[in-house]
Amino acid sequence: MQGPSLPKMNATEQAYHIIRNDILTGKLEEGERLTETRLSDDLGLSRTPIREAIGRLTLEGFIERDKGYTTRVAYFPEDEAEQIYEIRRLVECYSVQRAARLATPEDIAKLRAIHTAMKEDTPPKDQAAYQRLAAANEEFHHTIVTAARSPRLTALMATALDVSMVVRTYSMFSQKDLQRSLNHHEEIIQAIEAGAAEWASSIMSAHLLAGAARVVENIAKTAQEKE
Amino acid sequence: MQGPSLPKMNATEQAYHIIRNDILTGKLEEGERLTETRLSDDLGLSRTPIREAIGRLTLEGFIERDKGYTTRVAYFPEDEAEQIYEIRRLVECYSVQRAARLATPEDIAKLRAIHTAMKEDTPPKDQAAYQRLAAANEEFHHTIVTAARSPRLTALMATALDVSMVVRTYSMFSQKDLQRSLNHHEEIIQAIEAGAAEWASSIMSAHLLAGAARVVENIAKTAQEKE
DNA sequence: AAAAGGCATTCTGCATGCAAAAATTGGACC
DNA sequence: GGTCCAATTTTTGCATGCAGAATGCCTTTT
């Protein structure tokens, strides 16, 4: 499931993505102890990039360190996804308000371009189209945060709120969901273009609440099937 | 100005704090190029801890990386402090709402303890008392975020929103400001204890807006004096 | 059987070496 | 004077070595 056409990645980034992915898919279990040695053996890399990846994942809250040499996969609360969506709603609604005031024509053009590409992939014909949609969606949201012109905000989203994997793991959005999502995006762009901060914020809020509801539902369904 | 009684810090943490401090005090100027070699010479450490410190500061937005080997001190927007306070308000108001619902008796006891200690240092007799107050204030806010029982939230605050240095650089709070701040803290604790989420959120909002106003004023004054 | 203590093993933090990539310099050419 | 290109130097990314700290095992004791 490691994407087929990764762009060139250096060892540290590889380590970061692989470990993160393994945590989110459960291949590395919650609370499991991690050692640099084992990981570097498993991934065929030296300890240095592993160290750096672990450092980053620790900052992001995926990995926890005890007092001594003990490093464990973090324990995630059951309502992890809801928590993240709530925080995203907080941050992204604020972002889109700023974006409505501060977005440049280039920002808006970029949003339009992403949106157009997403429309062309809907409904998704195959798995690849699905992947593209997910990536484009991430970029759409990221573009809005960037358009808010607050470096702190950007760092925030990049660091602690990237739910892509969580969502990707659980999500099977129906065609109806996708269409609604696209409509939201369309309306968000219009609101930004109009400089209507509150409008933009409201529709973003709805967008994320809808997304959260879908994800929570999917998680529940998945859990049920396991029994 | 490097605190006199640092607890034992490993090399990486030392590097992190020194570099960060040097950026925030302007000893390392905005846009200045940084190389691991020079920093490791300057700090008398090897490249490894420097590397790790730089990595973290990059994630936090204090340092920026261009395409190649070029690493620079980030350019900070003029309204940096306001931006941070706005984001803090977003995050901490949400945190304190959760805290009002989820705080344990231990959390509340800790808040009370910090609060008591702060009262005993007010008004601050000397520079050391001032430092203690600043540290205690940070801990107060951090405790609230922790009490929100959302690891993501905690990571967020730790990573991107630590304004202590910015504030410390510019702040000369008057006795009246300090007293008001303490009153806010007191009321926040009461609201949390009462489980009153909205109350807690409102007073926290006022608390941070007041703080922001003071800081902005101080920055303006400082800028004026420079002319 | 449980607890305590000492010993061997493992792990991390830091330093350093090396090759490849990037930046800089200097010179040729326009 | 400005621009392009190649040689040189610098810098990073990664691998590895080493000492000290932490962990876990195994024996001893109660």
Side-chain angles (χ1 to χ4, degrees):
Chain A
M1 192 64 89
Q2 256 99 258
S5 60
L6 334 180
K8 57 189 168 193
M9 267 201 270
N10 55 25
T12 299
E13 276 181 68
Q14 276 182 46
Y16 169 79
H17 286 290
I18 294 175
I19 297 171
R20 183 169 181 283
N21 190 60
D22 286 353
I23 291 175
L24 289 168
T25 59
K27 203 151 115 191
L28 293 172
E29 287 172 28
E30 292 189 19
E32 179 174 344
R33 185 175 177 193
L34 300 176
T35 71
E36 297 174 2
T37 323
R38 179 164 72 84
L39 286 171
S40 69
D41 282 349
D42 288 354
L43 304 192
L45 299 165
S46 81
R47 275 180 51 217
T48 305
I50 301 288
R51 247 182 107 65
E52 290 179 1
I54 287 180
R56 180 166 170 195
L57 289 164
T58 302
L59 279 181
E60 295 178 359
F62 292 103
I63 290 177
E64 292 170 351
R65 315 190 77 113
D66 291 358
K67 263 287 159 59
Y69 284 173
T70 309
T71 302
R72 293 177 286 92
V73 176
Y75 294 95
F76 299 101
E78 287 184 29
D79 60 345
E80 171 84 353
E82 283 135 290
Q83 285 186 23
I84 291 177
Y85 265 99
E86 268 307 291
I87 301 174
R88 276 189 66 180
R89 196 159 68 90
L90 217 61
V91 173
E92 294 200 39
C93 285
Y94 176 67
S95 296
V96 84
Q97 285 179 44
R98 283 184 62 100
R101 285 189 280 115
L102 303 172
T104 63
E106 289 75 33
D107 291 327
I108 292 170
K110 189 170 175 190
L111 288 175
R112 284 229 165 279
I114 296 168
H115 184 58
T116 304
M118 287 184 75
K119 272 197 295 192
E120 276 166 16
D121 260 330
T122 306
K125 294 180 235 307
D126 48 20
Q127 195 58 29
Y130 232 98
Q131 299 265 7
R132 278 198 302 277
L133 274 175
N137 182 58
E138 266 182 67
E139 211 191 342
F140 185 88
H141 285 265
H142 181 260
T143 303
I144 288 174
V145 175
T146 305
R149 298 264 134 34
S150 173
R152 295 288 171 173
L153 223 41
T154 312
L156 224 63
M157 285 299 292
T159 302
L161 295 177
D162 180 358
V163 277
S164 51
M165 293 307 302
V166 181
V167 176
R168 203 173 282 155
T169 306
Y170 289 112
S171 303
M172 296 287 278
F173 291 105
S174 72
Q175 164 123 17
K176 206 167 127 195
D177 295 326
L178 288 175
Q179 189 53 55
R180 181 177 52 211
S181 186
L182 281 180
N183 291 344
H184 287 159
H185 283 195
E186 174 80 41
E187 189 171 344
I188 287 169
I189 295 174
Q190 288 170 7
I192 291 175
E193 234 172 345
E198 281 302 321
W199 177 19
S201 179
S202 297
I203 187 71
M204 176 66 86
S205 183
H207 181 54
L208 289 171
L209 286 170
R214 290 313 281 133
V215 170
V216 167
E217 200 174 310
N218 277 318
I219 291 175
K221 204 177 297 175
T222 307
Q224 227 171 16
E225 280 166 15
K226 265 190 184 166
E227 287 170 22
Chain B
M1 191 63 90
Q2 255 100 258
S5 61
L6 336 179
K8 57 188 169 192
M9 267 200 269
N10 56 24
T12 299
E13 275 182 69
Q14 276 182 46
Y16 170 78
H17 286 289
I18 294 175
I19 297 171
R20 185 170 181 283
N21 190 61
D22 287 353
I23 290 175
L24 289 167
T25 60
K27 203 151 115 192
L28 293 172
E29 288 173 28
E30 292 188 18
E32 179 174 345
R33 184 175 177 194
L34 300 175
T35 70
E36 298 173 3
T37 324
R38 180 163 72 84
L39 286 170
S40 69
D41 284 348
D42 289 355
L43 304 192
L45 299 166
S46 82
R47 275 179 51 218
T48 306
I50 301 290
R51 247 182 108 64
E52 290 179 2
I54 288 180
R56 180 166 169 194
L57 289 164
T58 302
L59 280 181
E60 295 178 359
F62 291 103
I63 290 177
E64 291 169 353
R65 314 190 78 112
D66 291 358
K67 265 286 160 61
Y69 285 173
T70 310
T71 301
R72 292 177 288 94
V73 176
Y75 294 95
F76 299 102
E78 288 186 27
D79 61 344
E80 171 84 353
E82 283 137 289
Q83 285 185 24
I84 291 177
Y85 265 100
E86 269 307 292
I87 301 174
R88 275 188 67 180
R89 196 159 69 89
L90 217 59
V91 173
E92 294 200 39
C93 284
Y94 176 67
S95 296
V96 83
Q97 285 178 44
R98 284 183 62 100
R101 285 189 281 115
L102 303 172
T104 64
E106 289 75 33
D107 292 326
I108 291 171
K110 189 170 175 190
L111 288 174
R112 284 230 164 279
I114 297 169
H115 184 57
T116 303
M118 286 183 77
K119 273 196 294 192
E120 276 166 17
D121 260 330
T122 305
K125 294 180 234 308
D126 50 18
Q127 195 58 29
Y130 231 98
Q131 299 265 8
R132 277 198 302 277
L133 274 175
N137 183 58
E138 266 181 67
E139 212 192 340
F140 185 87
H141 285 266
H142 181 259
T143 303
I144 288 173
V145 175
T146 305
R149 299 261 135 36
S150 173
R152 295 289 171 171
L153 222 41
T154 312
L156 224 63
M157 285 299 293
T159 302
L161 295 177
D162 180 356
V163 278
S164 52
M165 293 307 303
V166 181
V167 175
R168 202 173 283 156
T169 306
Y170 288 112
S171 303
M172 297 286 278
F173 291 105
S174 72
Q175 164 123 18
K176 206 167 126 195
D177 295 326
L178 288 175
Q179 190 54 56
R180 181 177 50 211
S181 186
L182 281 180
N183 290 344
H184 286 158
H185 282 194
E186 174 79 41
E187 190 171 343
I188 288 169
I189 295 174
Q190 287 168 9
I192 292 175
E193 235 172 343
E198 281 302 320
W199 178 19
S201 179
S202 297
I203 187 70
M204 175 65 86
S205 182
H207 181 55
L208 289 171
L209 287 170
R214 291 313 281 131
V215 170
V216 168
E217 199 175 309
N218 278 318
I219 291 175
K221 204 177 294 174
T222 307
Q224 227 171 16
E225 280 166 14
K226 267 191 181 165
E227 286 170 21

